Amino acid sequence: MNQSRFFAVSPLGTEDLLGAEIEEAGGVELQATPNGILFDATLESAYRLCLWSRVATRVYLPVARFEALDGDQLYAQALEVVWEDHLPAGGTFAVNAHLRRSALNHSHFAALRVKDAIVDRLRERWGQRPDVQPQRPDLQVSLDVDKDQAMLSIDLAGESLHRRGYRRVGGAAPLKENLAAAVLLRAGWADAARRSAPLLDPLCGTGTLLIEGALIAADGAPGLWRDYYGFCGWRGHREDLWQAVQEAARERFAQGLGRLPVIAGCERDPHVVESARENLRACGLEKHVRIDVGDFSTWLPDMGRSMKESAAGLVVTNPPYGERLGDKAQLQVLYSVLGGQCRQSFAGWQLSVFTSNPELASFLGLRASRTHSLRNGPIQARLYHYHLGPAPAADTTPSASGAEAKSDHHDTALMLANRLRKNFKVAQRWAKREGVCCYRVYDADLPEYAAAIDYYDGRLHVQEYKAPSTIDPGKARRRLQDLLRISSEVIEVAPDRVFLKQRKQQKGEAQYGRMGESGHFFEVSEGPCRFLVNLGDYLDSGLFLDHRPIRQRIMEMAAGKRFLNLFAYTGSATVFAARGGAQSSTTVDASRTYLDWAKENFRLNGLDPRRHKLERADVMRWIDAGREKYDLIFLDPPTFSNSKTRGRDFDVQRDHAALIERTMRRLEAGGTLVFSTNFRKFRLDAALSERGDVQDISAQTVPWDFRRSPKIHQCFLLRHPMKD
């Protein structure tokens, strides 16, 4: 059979894989170019490549090469191509153009000039105009211009070969099928499958890696389920050859299904799992690939225990990259747990992780044995490979100090696990008794793990205190990895429900600043009240847990009172006052975001907006501008704040006396002002005690779960002096 010259392309970083596939299909005289691979092959070999290539994007049959400096020259050269040899009379066609470093700078214009040439030539030959059909035409023509050198080709694929035909439903960010295959080939899955090694994907989404892995293991041609190829309407097509190539592939796949190893995955969302199973059914793999609904943090240990006797296999996954603001902190938890669980449950196996974020990859807590660069669409990503067995020989005989360091690290991690387990067990009992669902479970109990961990009704809010500059960054990162992994495992909270923040000294109103855009609000309860909290988008959650006793006291004091909440944040104190029977309330804050949040909290608790008003205003100006009196006032100012409208910074230690005196003017005789601050070095101005009745209730308002931090806040009750 005669040979022709063909041209194939694949994603960047997979050119060597493509070259091997071309040779396997029967191509010869391979010539690499910056844009793809030129090769000689028979038409049968070209068909075989279209059907069998796991990484190719397109396979072209070039029909003309020439210089194209402008549209007229492009048209003239395209007019010379014998298009009647490629498109049958009455057939349809389309033209795609790709321009690089060319005097022609508009791809649509270039494609239009080629289209005009084809139409004009065939109209002259046939006496009728051929139809242009953008989607799935009989003939797909490709124009590629690089440095003014043009190549016109017949696109034998017709549409990208990554579209296998089995994907019925895609996920939110599905991995292209040919890229998934490249990941598996780079990970050595073809060799591992031949020795019946298992394949696991703990974050499998709609199952692309698992399906491609099964096709590799079962010797299944990835193009068997496509219902369209660009050559099917091409005049040079040989249907007999194509049918023979397909039939041979079907026979190989039928035989290969009988030798598939264990291939399994896990996905938390049952709707996504159903989509994955639908994709499996589309290519006949539903009985051969297992996909479970669940969380990978518990699925991996279960799979590890069930596969103790199996051959060492491959764990491969494409976890989220954290492209959105605020995602990265939470994903550090996911990567930490993923690395820890794989290390613990799959000794001797290989882990391959595909991600665009090297910082997140470092949270796996593993050292990569090798890496590969690949592009995921516009994103430059890397594939990291890790051996999960014992340390390499060079590391098995460390120095005494190195051995001690490893032992110390293990011991401190064990201490952390034991402390967290004990703390949570005791806190659970206390919380059940008190009717509390949000509470602190760890407060820098161990100096090696300087963080606070709060439990929010099935979620964890981890606030790491920034390590001093004297601490080695690598050691600090390893400790954080321990903290995230161990807290998730011990308290049995899924990694995607663990939220990480870094606590450092905040200036201005940064403590209330936005950190993310997830919009993930959920409802919690405290006593008779309900609140929306958000652990991912803001430094604080929307509910100060240490203020729990203060809110309770406000509720007990509020019956029949006119209540004022200043620097109100999300209005939780107002909700408690209303629950306590407050006659009316006014809630003041300068932030529209937090007042909107407060409005939702009011709605959750059924507060009547006619009796409970929200005011957006600078608190300092608002106090001075009005004359209405209140029976109960809650004043919880920021430690420090700057305001363009005020023209002067606010410092709670410097300015609290003046603020309190101004607020007392709005307090009814016999009323009570509740003043609170979280500034740990705060000292109340002594002159305030001389001019009125002041009661320090700080000790009584520090909740049980904050007992390790007795200075978490200071709280005072202030009243007007008694008249003789």
Side-chain angles (χ1 to χ4, degrees), residues 187-486:
W189 170 239
D191 290 336
R194 280 191 282 272
R195 55 180 173 80
S196 299
L199 175 69
L200 305 179
D201 182 355
L203 298 158
C204 71
T206 55
T208 306
L209 280 167
L210 297 176
I211 293 173
E212 291 296 319
L215 293 179
I216 292 172
D219 196 22
L224 267 178
W225 295 272
R226 284 171 61 105
D227 59 0
Y228 172 74
Y229 282 92
F231 53 71
C232 290
W234 169 52
R235 195 168 182 182
H237 175 49
R238 288 278 306 278
E239 183 64 20
D240 57 331
L241 288 180
W242 174 233
Q243 289 297 332
V245 169
Q246 284 185 301
E247 185 57 34
R250 280 191 282 267
E251 290 178 5
R252 287 171 61 175
F253 183 53
Q255 294 173 3
L257 283 175
R259 57 176 183 267
L260 274 178
V262 172
I263 299 177
C266 174
E267 169 58 44
R268 185 182 184 89
D269 188 335
H271 298 292
V272 176
V273 170
E274 183 50 42
S275 297
R277 290 171 178 167
E278 189 174 341
N279 292 340
L280 287 169
R281 286 190 288 271
C283 56
L285 290 170
E286 69 274 17
K287 295 181 180 179
H288 303 277
V289 177
R290 165 185 162 191
I291 299 182
D292 299 320
V293 178
D295 185 81
F296 79 90
S297 62
T298 54
W299 183 82
L300 279 171
D302 289 344
M303 291 299 293
R305 285 187 290 270
S306 69
M307 306 187 77
K308 283 287 187 184
E309 306 303 319
S310 72
L314 171 65
V315 180
V316 61
T317 194
N318 171 223
Y321 302 162
E323 294 301 310
R324 295 185 312 179
L325 178 66
D327 279 353
K328 188 171 70 172
Q330 189 178 357
L331 289 176
Q332 289 173 353
V333 183
L334 185 149
Y335 280 72
S336 296
V337 174
L338 175 64
Q341 290 290 8
C342 287
R343 186 171 57 245
Q344 291 177 9
S345 302
F346 297 97
W349 285 46
Q350 178 179 305
L351 169 66
S352 293
V353 177
F354 186 52
T355 178
S356 69
N357 196 319
E359 183 180 350
L360 285 175
S362 72
F363 273 81
L364 291 165
L366 302 165
R367 180 176 295 176
S369 58
R370 56 197 175 98
T371 65
H372 289 98
S373 292
L374 294 165
R375 288 193 73 85
N376 186 4
I379 302 171
Q380 183 64 49
R382 292 195 75 82
L383 177 61
Y384 296 84
H385 306 284
Y386 307 91
H387 177 63
L388 298 173
D395 293 336
T396 55
T397 55
S399 64
S401 60
E404 290 170 5
K406 290 183 180 180
S407 177
D408 289 346
H409 177 255
H410 178 270
D411 290 344
T412 53
L414 186 60
M415 287 171 59
L416 174 65
N418 291 336
R419 179 62 62 93
L420 270 176
R421 191 173 290 109
K422 177 182 176 182
N423 283 8
F424 187 58
K425 185 177 181 180
V426 173
Q428 272 186 308
R429 289 200 297 262
W430 166 82
K432 185 176 181 180
R433 186 171 61 249
E434 297 294 323
V436 173
C437 71
C438 304
Y439 48 90
R440 181 150 292 185
V441 296
Y442 178 87
D443 200 354
D445 298 35
L446 304 176
E448 295 87 354
Y449 299 99
I453 303 178
D454 296 323
Y455 181 82
Y456 279 82
D457 198 16
R459 297 166 176 83
L460 291 182
H461 194 214
V462 179
Q463 301 168 84
E464 179 199 24
Y465 300 117
K466 187 177 181 181
S469 57
T470 54
I471 299 295
D472 174 64
K475 180 180 289 187
R477 186 175 62 250
R478 286 193 298 274
R479 288 176 177 174
L480 178 58
Q481 291 165 355
D482 286 343
L483 185 71
L484 297 174
R485 176 178 58 82
I486 291 171

Side-chain angles (χ1 to χ4, degrees), residues 553-565 573-574 576-586 611-613 628-634 666-674 717-719:
R553 187 169 288 231
I554 287 173
M555 184 171 68
E556 294 167 355
M557 299 167 63
K561 304 287 178 61
R562 294 163 295 171
F563 178 67
L564 174 62
N565 188 359
T574 305
F576 267 86
R579 284 291 190 183
Q583 172 187 320
S584 63
S585 71
T586 301
R611 293 173 49 208
H612 302 283
K613 298 184 297 182
E628 184 179 355
K629 299 278 188 175
Y630 297 88
D631 306 303
L632 179 62
I633 301 176
F634 181 47
R666 306 296 296 271
L667 184 67
E668 190 67 79
T672 302
L673 169 65
V674 182
L717 302 181
L718 297 95
R719 301 178 179 88

Side-chain angles (χ1 to χ4, degrees), residues 171-190:
L175 196 64
K176 284 186 176 180
E177 293 88 327
N178 60 341
L179 185 57
V183 165
L184 289 158
L185 294 171
R186 290 291 191 216
W189 170 239

